[in-house]
Amino acid sequence: MPPRPGLSKAELEIARIVWGLKSATVRQVHDALPVGRDVDFTTVQTYLKRLEEKGYLKVRLENRTRIYAPRVKPRTVIRETVDDLVERLFGGDAMPLMQHLVEEKEFTTADIEQLRSLLNRLEGDSDV
């Protein structure tokens, strides 16, 4: 299957709402936008149609109402988006991204423990 076209920031925002709702009408997505996010109903409708055309959402008709649902899992979109970012920005080398995140983002103690556990697990896998 050819790669899906990437998502704009606004399309990703709409896709995340649909993922959270599991399935939704245009009205439900519009109503679920964050407070202060002033987006026209017709703009939400356009984003949903684009997401359907790009292969991220599927649609079914109930009476005359379009019900949108995810076609792609969020985890898949995250993987594809991060892989594309690493390839374009770092030539496929993920270490500069990891270094940037560690040095520039604030991690809680719980975050650090989770990272340490992940690293320990990865080291254990390499001993096999």
Side-chain angles (χ1 to χ4, degrees), residues 9 14 39 59 62 68 79 82-83 92 100 106 122:
K9 186 177 178 180
I14 298 300
V39 179
V59 67
E62 257 182 40
Y68 292 89
R79 184 186 67 245
V82 171
D83 288 351
H100 168 78
E106 292 186 23
L122 289 172

Side-chain angles (χ1 to χ4, degrees), residues 46-107:
T46 299
Y47 287 140
L48 288 166
K49 184 165 177 53
R50 282 188 203 160
L51 289 164
E52 178 192 0
E53 290 168 355
K54 288 182 175 186
Y56 290 93
L57 299 179
K58 56 188 172 185
V59 67
R60 74 179 191 282
L61 283 176
E62 257 182 40
N63 297 321
R64 293 178 38 166
T65 303
R66 297 172 72 82
I67 310 291
Y68 292 89
R71 180 179 296 260
V72 180
K73 293 178 182 176
R75 185 179 184 114
T76 300
V77 175
I78 292 167
R79 184 186 67 245
E80 291 172 354
T81 303
V82 171
D83 288 351
D84 179 59
L85 172 77
V86 168
E87 186 59 42
R88 285 184 301 112
L89 201 55
F90 302 108
D93 183 6
M95 187 50 88
L97 174 60
M98 298 300 298
Q99 186 173 351
H100 168 78
L101 292 173
V102 168
E103 291 175 350
E104 299 295 326
K105 298 297 178 185
E106 292 186 23
F107 288 94

Side-chain angles (χ1 to χ4, degrees), residues 103-120:
E103 291 175 350
E104 299 295 326
K105 298 297 178 185
E106 292 186 23
F107 288 94
T108 65
T109 302
D111 293 336
I112 293 168
E113 288 173 10
Q114 190 174 359
L115 285 169
R116 188 170 285 120
S117 175
L118 175 60
L119 290 172
N120 289 339

